[in-house]
Amino acid sequence: MTILASLLKRDLGRFLPGTSSGGTMLPLLFFLAVAMLYPFAVGPNPTLLAATGGGVIWVAALLAAILPLDRLLASDVHEGFFDQWALRGISEEVVVAVRLLAHWLSFGPFIMLAALPASALVGIDGETLRIVELGLLAGTPGLAAIGIIIAAITVGLRSGGAALSGLLVIPLAVPLLIFGAGALSTGGDGGLALTAAISLLLVAIAPFAGGAAIRAAREG
Amino acid sequence: MEPFRLAARDIACRRGDRLLFARLSLALEAGQALQVSGANGIGKSSLIRILAGLARPFDGTVERAGTIGLLDERPALDNDQPLGKALSFWTALDREAAPLEQLGIASLLDVPVRYLSTGQRKRAALARLIGQQADIWLLDEPLNGLDVDAVKLCEELVAQHCAGGGIAVIASHQRFDLPGMSTLSLAEYAL
């Protein structure tokens, strides 16, 4: 338990927005910037904005989730942290699972908070906002899991890793987007439930896929 | 207490499609130290990583009885944290405080790790290694960047470790003074 607590404390110190050592508000500001730019781009038609606003919030959340990827795992691999953990019998899977939790905590809840002002910017109503918030609650853990897996797979790439991981996230995130944003048009709970199911599956796979990817990078 | 032991039998190492060395065997019992010497690129670091279990040998087996401590060119300390906080992360995992005074880094605890010099980083990494209290020390170029005093200190620390029943393997092209240490020239196994 003390190991998990130490790891989580270090990770949160590095990733939570506004912490002293590099945790940044940038993904949140980016998220709000997309929501702010959208009405300028499509014009101030309230019907159009209300119909499409929820989807835009989803796309903005997805793009914001990509921003921190290059800082998630690569530096710890290059600076020898994973080797030292391995020698102490702390498996890559445990580290990646804790990292997943810290990564989600440092963007999921904040994106959900930022969705409130964003909903005002794109002019969606209360019911739509409720579905967006529930969808984000169900979907952001899955986005975090995809991010962790991609970050682990691209860990060996020293340059261009950030752009490539961004590109790799997008196809994997499509199912989450289809069901999460799709719940907006159907208005049903079915989409939300499917989003949550995909999220759970991704969260369950991520520590093992990520751990295996990091070990493969070490051997190579 | 189980006696510590580190043994390798007929190991070979491949990097890319090049075989670096082959048919290398070694056996170290509690209290013994070994210096691995050889020119740059001959495979000293690869051997250390194989002994540590972080890389698989191309051929052969490695047996370890005891916990492994690794010191290489990467100190594994958070660059943007002050040294004290960066070290305390490992102290929390290892539950053992490092002798900061002895290593001459007690006055640097407020300094972010990225501002430290190469030698100061190495001293900090030594502190992490000592705090780990591992039975088998694998040191990859431990003297790089250390000044004369620190070299002496490092040699003393390894001597203390071995006197306490620990095992040490030192991969270095530099002279490492340690009474009773055996040496292994990697060039003899190179292909």
Side-chain angles (χ1 to χ4, degrees), chain B residues 139-171:
Chain B
L139 314 179
D140 188 3
E141 300 291 359
L143 304 185
N144 268 9
L146 290 183
D147 57 31
V148 183
D149 290 342
V151 166
K152 245 201 189 80
L153 180 65
C154 181
E155 289 168 347
E156 268 168 34
L157 288 169
V158 175
Q160 276 172 22
H161 173 68
C162 290
I167 293 174
V169 177
I170 300 121

Side-chain angles (χ1 to χ4, degrees), chain B residues 10-34:
Chain B
D10 286 329
I11 56 172
C13 167
R14 196 175 77 163
R15 291 287 286 173
D17 47 8
R18 223 156 55 91
L19 213 51
L20 288 179
F21 56 80
R23 289 186 298 283
L24 187 153
S25 296
L26 59 87
L28 292 168
E29 305 292 338
Q32 290 185 325
L34 173 76

Side-chain angles (χ1 to χ4, degrees), chain A residues 2-4 6-7 9-10 13-14 20-22 71 76-88 90 215 218-220, chain B residues 15 49 52-56 67-72 74-81 85 89-90 92-95 128-129 132:
Chain A
T2 44
I3 290 174
L4 294 184
S6 300
L7 289 174
K9 197 175 136 212
R10 169 171 180 265
R14 292 173 68 221
S20 57
S21 58
R71 313 187 326 122
D76 278 0
V77 170
H78 296 152
E79 285 161 24
F81 279 91
F82 274 95
D83 289 348
Q84 294 292 338
W85 285 320
L87 293 176
R88 286 161 173 79
I90 304 171
R215 270 195 302 277
R218 175 187 292 147
E219 300 271 332
Chain B
R15 291 287 286 173
R49 289 184 69 76
L54 294 171
R56 257 197 298 269
T67 51
I68 305 272
L70 172 73
L71 176 80
D72 57 12
R74 302 162 308 169
L77 297 168
D78 279 313
N79 270 321
D80 41 22
Q81 294 282 353
K85 250 185 120 179
F89 170 71
W90 291 111
L93 288 185
D94 296 331
R95 293 195 203 88
R128 192 207 65 222
L129 176 75
Q132 192 190 348

Side-chain angles (χ1 to χ4, degrees), chain A residues 184-213:
Chain A
L184 291 166
S185 51
T186 60
D189 292 337
L192 293 178
L194 278 168
T195 312
I198 299 170
S199 258
L200 280 178
L201 184 69
L202 287 166
V203 167
I205 293 173
F208 302 101

